[in-house]
Amino acid sequence: MFAALGVFIGGGTGSVLRWLVCNRISTHWGTMTVNILGAFFIGCAYAYFQKNLETLPPELKTFIMTGLLGGFTTFSTYLLNFSNLLEKNNYLEAGIYLSLSIIIGLIFLLGGIKCAELIS
């Protein structure tokens, strides 16, 4: 229950922070800035939690990584997953994951735009 509450509060906070940054930099550069910052922060958090796994409550990790940074950007988690595949020497899977995420994501984005245009 505490983990879900942490995701809820962290996600809301992260979303507001994303909105503040993107409002300040009101172009696609704001989104890129958020994604890059999120990638940096999730890298820091991941390394910190790995090093201090036994001394920190798991709810804190959930609050920060899933909630706060997940609300701030899901791009950070995407890059962390990709990095973990590379660390495990799963280069083929990492390449497929990277490529398909971008290609299929773009196809679905364009498909969503077309569907919305057809409906309205």
Side-chain angles (χ1 to χ4, degrees):
M1 183 64 179
F2 287 115
L5 185 60
V7 170
F8 176 74
I9 294 170
T13 304
S15 295
V16 169
L17 291 171
R18 179 181 63 231
W19 176 76
L20 288 169
V21 171
C22 288
N23 253 2
R24 186 86 169 145
I25 309 169
S26 60
T27 66
H28 61 280
W29 298 113
T31 302
M32 187 188 77
T33 300
V34 163
N35 287 336
I36 290 170
L37 287 173
F40 175 76
F41 290 136
I42 203 167
C44 291
Y46 178 76
Y48 183 78
F49 286 119
Q50 285 298 102
K51 185 176 182 183
N52 299 289
L53 203 54
E54 278 101 43
T55 60
L56 296 170
E59 294 84 8
L60 181 62
K61 179 182 177 185
T62 303
F63 167 76
I64 291 175
M65 292 187 69
T66 305
L68 185 66
L69 294 173
F72 190 61
T73 172
T74 58
F75 187 71
S76 57
T77 303
Y78 163 67
L79 287 178
L80 178 61
N81 292 338
F82 176 71
S83 173
N84 286 338
L85 287 169
L86 291 177
E87 281 181 12
K88 295 175 184 170
N89 297 322
N90 292 339
Y91 301 115
L92 179 62
E93 187 177 352
I96 291 169
Y97 177 73
L98 182 70
S99 301
L100 289 181
S101 294
I102 293 170
I103 293 166
I104 293 173
L106 183 58
I107 290 169
F108 272 65
L109 171 72
L110 296 174
I113 291 169
K114 289 295 179 192
C115 284
E117 288 173 352
L118 291 173
I119 292 171
S120 50

